[in-house]
Amino acid sequence: MKLSRPVSWFLLAFGAWSWIIWITFVKNLIKDGSGLAFDDAGDPTGYFWVHLLLAVVSFVLGTVVGVIGFRGVRALRRTSYGGKQL
């Protein structure tokens, strides 16, 4: 399957965006002082574990999507030079 240039760049950008957003979210989750992520004893709560799992799954999916986009961009660059392989 061959991806178009806009789709490839969108997937690559989405993968990068996912990492930026979820890294920020995990940093904020770890620093949470509202009592949602950690109880009074400082132990992680269910809220913490569920949201950490959500972040990990999103990292994995963002990485997969970004890699697909990167491969699409790389394949288009190879074929954009008159079919010559570089």
Side-chain angles (χ1 to χ4, degrees):
M1 181 170 92
K2 191 172 182 181
L3 300 173
S4 69
R5 185 174 311 275
V7 169
S8 296
W9 279 107
F10 174 78
L11 293 175
L12 184 58
F14 181 83
W17 174 257
S18 251
W19 271 85
I20 292 167
I21 292 301
W22 288 103
I23 285 174
T24 303
F25 180 82
V26 169
K27 285 180 182 178
N28 291 336
L29 182 64
I30 290 170
K31 294 179 193 175
D32 181 58
S34 69
L36 288 174
F38 299 97
D39 61 16
D40 293 335
D43 297 325
T45 63
Y47 176 90
F48 175 83
W49 292 115
V50 167
H51 285 83
L52 185 63
L53 178 64
L54 177 65
V56 169
V57 169
S58 295
F59 283 137
V60 171
L61 293 176
T63 301
V64 169
V65 168
V67 167
I68 292 169
F70 176 74
R71 288 182 177 176
V73 168
R74 192 174 60 183
L76 286 169
R77 286 191 177 168
R78 284 189 207 138
T79 60
S80 67
Y81 294 103
K84 296 179 187 174
Q85 294 291 325
L86 299 177

